[in-house]
Amino acid sequence: MIEVSHLTKRYGEKYAVQDISFDVKDGEILGFLGPNGAGKSTTMNILTGYLSSNEGTVKIDGVDVLERPLEAKKNIGYLPEQPPLYPDMTVDEYLKFVFGLKQCKLGREAHINEICGLVRIQNVRGRLIRNLSKGFKQRVGIAQALIGNPDVLILDEPTVGLDPKQIIEIRTLIKHLSRKHTVILSSHILPEVQSVCERIIIINQGQIVANGTTSELSSQLSSEHRLIARIAGPEADVREAISDLSGVRKCVSLGMHETGSSDWQIECETGQDIRRALFTILSAKDWPLLALDTGELTLEDIFLRLTTDGAVLPQSKPAAPPAEPPAADAEPTEPAENAGEQEEDDNP
Ligand SMILES: Nc1ncnc2c1ncn2[C@@H]1O[C@H](COP(=O)(O)OP(=O)(O)OP(=O)(O)O)[C@@H](O)[C@H]1O
């Protein structure tokens, strides 16, 4: 559905993104994760045709965004980091305006009604956008992205600035939308990407450093990078012997969990598997190895490794099947009936 090939964007001498390539399959929900300044917004803006690239191509359903922009953009709904809302319009006026801009050929009333129902903004349609809470403004932003029934939805930091309840509602809504749309969600919030996305691309300093599901990334890193060992031996000597092994970056005591032994977390350099060397030294010292485990990395561990240690993972990108539809009781909650002006959490 989306093919990004060797994309590069420079500002003067500085690379905002450098030679990035990835695919997003039909119906997939992809998380685009990276620290501030990594190149997420630049990539989203190029994907949606708002920005041109210096090199590389983007194809949406086979259509090149730069060569045939109008055709490609018909297939894209975009929610930029700052939703393009007109505060002095009512929600209804605004959505009709966007409908006209997009030259949408569907029946206007029925289409806008359907979208308002989907994003749960029916009862604020007559209100001025500037009077809406941030969460409802964000829903209106998602509604404008949905006009024209695009196959692809690109959402740039969709929950920034929302309160925890609004965040849960918007995440649930995004999962729901992924039943009918291919979604790219850009974010620097790890739990968001973990809870919503099937596959994750991590970008750092303009380059893709990982591409896979959380468990794929974790297993690629954890088998080589972190071991948890229970060793029966004198603590200070064990620490010294492990720390001296080639490829060990850090050896941290996790304390005693079994009499006469201590647990150790052993962090290794990228690409180093020290298990054989560890066995050899422990056996030579006659310190029994009572347990050895590869530590499962959280997405946070993975993110930190990749964005601070300069590691890069091989970029396998199997397409996961589309998400299960959310349970009926996981639908976004209805906005409060009372459309008063006070800024309550669940108030429009
Ligand atoms: N118009 C511009 N002129 C010069 N440099 C720019 C411009 N836009 C972006 N950059 C630089 O390109 C790099 C990538 O920026 P981008 O906004 O894509 O990052 P980001 O991952 O979206 O960050 P954030 O999460 O903070 O929004 C940054 O170093 C940024 O300073």
Side-chain angles (χ1 to χ4, degrees):
M1 173 56 68
I2 305 174
E3 298 161 71
V4 175
S5 181
H6 301 290
L7 212 58
T8 291
K9 177 72 186 176
R10 286 184 298 272
Y11 290 107
E13 294 295 298
K14 185 179 166 44
Y15 283 89
V17 295
Q18 188 173 4
D19 194 23
I20 64 171
S21 299
F22 60 91
D23 291 341
V24 191
K25 305 277 182 284
D26 221 355
E28 200 176 10
I29 175 160
L30 173 82
F32 206 72
L33 186 68
N36 289 333
K40 303 182 296 294
S41 295
T42 302
T43 309
M44 299 302 114
N45 281 326
I46 296 173
L47 256 56
T48 50
Y50 279 72
L51 204 61
S52 61
S53 59
N54 295 104
E55 284 157 44
T57 55
V58 176
K59 288 185 182 170
I60 309 288
D61 218 3
V63 180
D64 191 303
V65 171
L66 277 187
E67 284 176 5
R68 289 147 68 196
L70 283 181
E71 203 181 326
K73 284 180 192 178
K74 280 194 178 141
N75 252 336
I76 305 172
Y78 184 29
L79 177 69
E81 199 171 349
Q82 304 289 339
L85 304 176
Y86 289 100
D88 292 329
M89 287 183 177
T90 65
V91 171
D92 220 28
E93 285 165 350
Y94 173 67
L95 294 179
K96 285 174 181 164
F97 172 68
V98 174
F99 185 96
L101 274 186
K102 290 193 179 181
Q103 299 176 353
C104 191
K105 299 281 184 283
L106 302 163
R108 191 174 76 170
E109 282 313 307
H111 185 48
I112 292 180
N113 267 338
E114 187 193 344
I115 289 172
C116 288
L118 195 64
V119 303
R120 314 258 167 172
I121 53 173
Q122 304 97 321
N123 65 347
V124 299
R125 287 180 63 173
R127 291 185 57 190
L128 286 176
I129 289 174
R130 74 172 129 86
N131 292 335
L132 297 178
S133 68
K134 178 109 172 78
F136 270 78
K137 283 183 181 143
Q138 204 66 353
R139 287 174 191 226
V140 175
I142 294 175
Q144 66 75 28
L146 287 169
I147 286 183
N149 267 340
D151 291 331
V152 175
L153 278 182
I154 298 185
L155 311 173
D156 194 358
E157 306 271 7
T159 61
V160 161
L162 302 187
D163 68 32
K165 183 168 184 284
Q166 292 169 333
I167 287 175
I168 291 168
E169 288 177 2
I170 294 292
R171 285 182 190 164
T172 308
L173 173 61
I174 294 169
K175 278 195 201 168
H176 184 74
L177 293 174
S178 73
R179 289 161 65 178
K180 287 196 179 156
H181 303 265
T182 303
V183 180
I184 299 186
L185 171 78
S186 151
S187 179
H188 65 276
I189 304 167
L190 279 74
E192 175 149 297
V193 169
Q194 195 152 26
S195 70
V196 174
C197 301
E198 295 152 355
R199 185 157 66 87
I200 299 164
I201 284 181
I202 299 180
I203 182 169
N204 188 38
Q205 296 180 357
Q207 291 181 304
I208 292 177
V209 290
N211 183 346
T213 62
T214 312
S215 59
E216 281 167 358
L217 303 187
S218 175
S219 66
Q220 284 176 36
L221 277 172
S222 65
S223 61
E224 296 177 348
H225 289 254
R226 182 192 285 182
L227 298 172
I228 308 289
R230 179 165 295 173
I231 298 166
E235 197 167 327
D237 295 340
V238 169
R239 181 194 297 276
E240 193 182 338
I242 295 175
S243 301
D244 283 349
L245 288 177
S246 164
V248 171
R249 189 171 53 185
K250 201 156 78 175
C251 177
V252 181
S253 170
L254 300 177
M256 185 167 55
H257 295 271
E258 191 180 330
T259 312
S261 69
S262 43
D263 285 6
W264 299 91
Q265 179 175 298
I266 307 166
E267 308 259 342
C268 306
E269 304 289 351
T270 306
Q272 295 289 317
D273 184 351
I274 60 134
R275 288 172 297 175
R276 286 168 185 79
L278 180 67
F279 170 81
T280 306
I281 184 82
L282 295 182
S283 127
K285 299 274 190 189
D286 199 18
W287 296 332
L289 176 64
L290 303 180
L292 182 68
D293 197 6
T294 53
E296 181 75 2
L297 297 187
T298 63
L299 183 59
E300 190 171 356
D301 294 325
I302 297 167
F303 184 74
L304 288 174
R305 288 283 173 82
L306 294 169
T307 56
T308 54
D309 294 4
V312 179
L313 289 180
Q315 280 161 41
S316 61
K317 41 184 186 301
E324 282 296 306
D329 60 0
E331 292 280 325
T333 53
E334 286 283 346
E337 284 298 307
N338 166 18
E341 295 300 316
Q342 79 266 36
E343 288 290 311
E344 294 281 327
D345 281 353
D346 56 355
N347 198 301

